Amino acid sequence: MAKTVKPVKITETVLRDGQQSLIATRMTTEQMLPIIDKMDKVGYYAVEMWGGATFDAALRFLKEDPWERLRKMRDGFKNTKMQMLFRGQNILGYRHYADDVVEYFVQKSIANGIDIIRIFDALNDIRNLETAVKATKKEGGHVQTAISYTLGEPYTHEYYVKLAKDMESMGADSICVKDMAGLLVPYEAESLVRELKANVKVPIELHTHYTSGVGAMSYMRAVEAGCDIIDTAMSPFALGTSQPATEVMVETFKGTKYDTGLDQKLLGEISEYFRPLREQALDSGLMSPKVLGVDINTLLYQVPGGMLSNLVSQLKDQKAEDKFYDVLHEIPRVREDMGMPPLVTPSSQIVGTQAVFNVLLGERYKMATKETKAIFAGEYGVTVRPFNEEVRKKVIGDKQTITCRPADLLEPELPKLEAELGEWKEQDEDILSYALFPQVAMDFFKHRKAVREGNAPVSGSVECSVTPVK
């Protein structure tokens, strides 16, 4: 009997999560465009190239229009699906936005070139996915809902299977297990994927990071258990807090029934393009050695890659780099206080920043960020465990925690945003940039105007720095 062929598909992350995890999302559009033609010939299932922190970083640090990046990439990727990461009701920002903003953002993302929208919620509160899922369906995009994978007593196989079945019922075209901190060890990956495949009919994709050192092995066991797609990054921006390397996984499955069929020679040429960018990042200090190694303590701290690089930056700014491991030890305690949420944007930033304050100020919750207060007020959704009541009262006092879908309390925002933007609007998408990052977007609009009038440096000439994307 002939051997059943089941090639594993590859989603390439070097243009988004690979560079986000290792160099805080500082790769410019100008650096990306020359290699897109070759990448388009590879035969990837998709290229993840937008969303996540790319939007904020483009406006804030690179003085680039993220919408223009998207359009330029659409022109280059003629044969490859383009994918973005979308934080459910948070979109690409750090708070919940009204439904009209979510719907408009999805509409404009797909109109400008996105094919696949990976939609997740930091708390796995499925109510926070509803609007984005419906909007993506309406616009004809591929809905990939993502399960934020984490460890802890409540997070059982039954919990994840129920989430996946609920997502399939919502209309997911595929489901991603989003292991943002590299917590999914090989045999657990195998058993979880096997159970998911037995309970849902849509394709399963696995996303992990190499932080704990087991990512490639976990991919191998997951693929053997039926995983359809894996996320990898070209080797110069792989490993450490990024994804397993594309070339390594392609070679791993070569000659097996899972053979990707991708050309190593072509991948090698692409890798050689990115290698000097890696060296530049190392020489400039943009890529910290702390995000390049393996730390099995990740299984204790549960800190995702992007959060690690931001923690390094935050502590460096405060001249408190010696407190790095103190903060890592505080993070699980803060997470427990907040109802054990998975640590992924924005919950990772909320927990991480609060842990930094707790350590640097010498007293836990002496100062609470507005986002910490919002978590305890229920403004991000429901957590899998109750809050630490003593901490909740210290942070928000007698304020009641809401139990409804947070966005149900939000009035439509677009008319007000358009009025505020006024003369600075040059394209419809500017409203969305302003909605997510009002001050940062306004600074960019002023810079854009100054460039046009010859009074400012051109986009892409901004010096790279290790400033955290908050």
Side-chain angles (χ1 to χ4, degrees):
M1 182 180 291
K3 183 167 64 175
T4 303
V5 177
K6 189 182 184 296
V8 63
K9 297 173 182 175
I10 300 285
T11 293
E12 176 59 59
T13 69
V14 67
L15 301 180
R16 207 287 297 174
D17 204 9
Q19 62 121 350
Q20 179 174 321
S21 296
L22 295 185
I23 60 169
T25 334
R26 298 301 200 277
M27 197 182 293
T28 66
T29 303
E30 194 174 283
Q31 290 171 322
M32 298 176 189
L33 291 179
I35 198 60
I36 284 177
D37 184 58
K38 277 189 180 176
M39 292 182 71
D40 195 39
K41 293 181 172 70
V42 170
Y44 294 119
Y45 169 72
V47 171
E48 186 195 55
M49 39 59 65
W50 212 60
T54 62
F55 200 96
D56 183 2
L59 290 168
R60 188 187 301 264
F61 302 116
L62 306 178
K63 300 305 178 192
E64 290 185 8
D65 179 2
W67 298 100
E68 188 62 22
R69 173 182 293 188
L70 175 53
R71 289 189 285 265
K72 286 179 177 178
M73 289 201 175
R74 180 72 282 166
D75 289 342
F77 284 116
K78 297 178 174 63
N79 306 300
T80 308
K81 292 176 183 174
M82 300 204 310
Q83 178 174 303
M84 73 172 292
L85 183 66
F86 195 98
R87 301 171 190 150
Q89 208 69 32
N90 294 101
I91 311 180
L92 305 179
Y94 307 101
R95 68 168 177 88
H96 279 212
Y97 299 89
D99 287 338
D100 63 338
V101 178
V102 175
E103 291 162 354
Y104 196 43
F105 202 102
V106 168
Q107 179 192 329
K108 286 299 183 181
S109 297
I110 293 174
N112 280 281
I114 290 295
D115 298 293
I116 302 169
I117 302 187
R118 177 179 291 174
I119 307 166
F120 77 97
D121 178 65
L123 306 185
N124 283 328
D125 186 340
I126 202 164
R127 302 172 303 169
N128 295 332
L129 308 180
E130 292 170 359
T131 300
V133 167
K134 288 176 183 174
T136 305
K137 284 286 189 184
K138 180 182 176 184
E139 299 301 324
H142 176 112
V143 171
Q144 182 178 92
T145 52
I147 295 168
S148 297
Y149 180 83
T150 191
L151 300 177
E153 189 272 332
Y155 296 101
T156 62
H157 279 201
E158 290 75 21
Y159 170 86
Y160 289 122
V161 167
K162 182 181 185 306
L163 260 181
K165 290 169 82 170
D166 288 345
M167 288 172 170
E168 186 177 41
S169 297
M170 286 180 76
D173 298 304
S174 61
I175 294 172
C176 175
V177 177
K178 181 176 169 58
D179 176 26
M180 53 278 175
L183 306 176
L184 187 58
V185 294
Y187 289 106
E188 177 64 16
E190 179 184 27
S191 59
L192 178 59
V193 167
R194 208 177 292 285
E195 284 203 42
L196 291 173
K197 292 294 290 183
N199 283 277
V200 296
K201 294 182 173 62
V202 297
I204 299 295
E205 184 158 356
L206 181 55
H207 171 95
T208 193
H209 290 249
Y210 213 80
T211 320
S212 61
V214 301
M217 292 184 284
S218 295
Y219 274 171
M220 188 171 183
R221 301 304 298 187
V223 168
E224 291 171 347
C227 181
D228 301 281
I229 314 159
I230 55 175
D231 286 7
T232 63
M234 293 305 302
S235 56
F237 286 91
L239 307 184
T241 54
S242 178
Q243 279 74 58
T246 303
E247 305 97 305
V248 172
M249 298 316 303
V250 167
E251 195 66 22
T252 296
F253 296 116
K254 187 177 179 180
T256 73
K257 68 178 182 179
Y258 310 111
D259 196 328
T260 65
L262 304 190
D263 181 355
Q264 283 283 29
K265 182 176 182 297
L266 182 55
L267 292 175
E269 292 172 3
I270 295 167
S271 178
E272 284 307 306
Y273 176 83
F274 284 108
R275 202 165 305 284
L277 300 183
R278 173 192 169 91
E279 297 308 316
Q280 289 169 22
L282 280 168
D283 291 344
S284 69
L286 186 59
M287 187 183 288
S288 167
K290 279 191 172 71
V291 301
L292 294 177
V294 164
D295 187 354
I296 200 64
N297 285 325
T298 299
L299 300 175
L300 170 65
Y301 306 137
Q302 302 197 35
V303 178
M307 179 182 175
L308 265 182
S309 58
N310 284 347
L311 273 181
V312 171
S313 299
Q314 285 181 342
L315 292 173
K316 187 174 183 177
D317 285 349
Q318 297 299 319
K319 295 182 171 45
E321 292 168 280
D322 60 315
K323 302 292 187 184
F324 181 72
Y325 287 99
D326 292 335
V327 172
L328 286 185
H329 282 95
E330 175 66 5
I331 283 170
R333 298 179 65 200
V334 174
R335 178 180 180 242
E336 184 83 26
D337 294 337
M338 292 185 180
M340 286 190 74
L343 294 182
V344 62
T345 305
S347 60
S348 56
Q349 279 83 351
I350 296 169
V351 170
T353 301
Q354 188 60 53
V356 168
F357 279 128
N358 288 359
V359 168
L360 295 187
L361 297 177
E363 179 187 329
R364 305 187 76 232
Y365 303 100
K366 181 177 183 180
M367 189 177 98
T369 68
K370 66 178 182 180
E371 291 82 10
T372 291
K373 292 175 182 177
I375 282 270
F376 283 112
E379 292 171 19
Y380 283 94
V382 65
T383 53
V384 68
R385 279 283 181 80
F387 300 131
N388 179 324
E389 186 60 20
E390 183 181 335
V391 172
R392 189 189 75 84
K393 285 188 174 178
K394 183 173 183 179
V395 171
I396 64 170
D398 294 331
K399 184 176 181 179
Q400 291 298 306
T401 299
I402 65 169
T403 57
C404 65
R405 183 183 78 111
D408 287 342
L409 302 177
L410 301 177
E411 295 292 330
E413 296 182 63
L414 286 176
K416 178 174 177 286
L417 291 165
E418 178 131 29
E420 289 177 1
L421 194 54
E423 65 182 273
W424 295 103
K425 176 186 169 184
E426 294 186 8
Q427 58 180 350
D428 290 343
E429 291 82 358
D430 287 345
I431 297 170
L432 295 164
S433 301
Y434 180 71
L436 267 59
F437 306 105
Q439 188 56 57
V440 171
M442 188 58 71
D443 290 344
F444 169 74
F445 298 150
K446 291 174 181 177
H447 171 86
R448 180 175 64 186
K449 182 179 180 183
V451 167
R452 190 167 54 247
E453 294 173 352
N455 298 322
V458 296
S459 176
S461 67
V462 179
E463 184 180 351
C464 290
S465 61
V466 192
T467 311
V469 181
K470 296 180 181 176

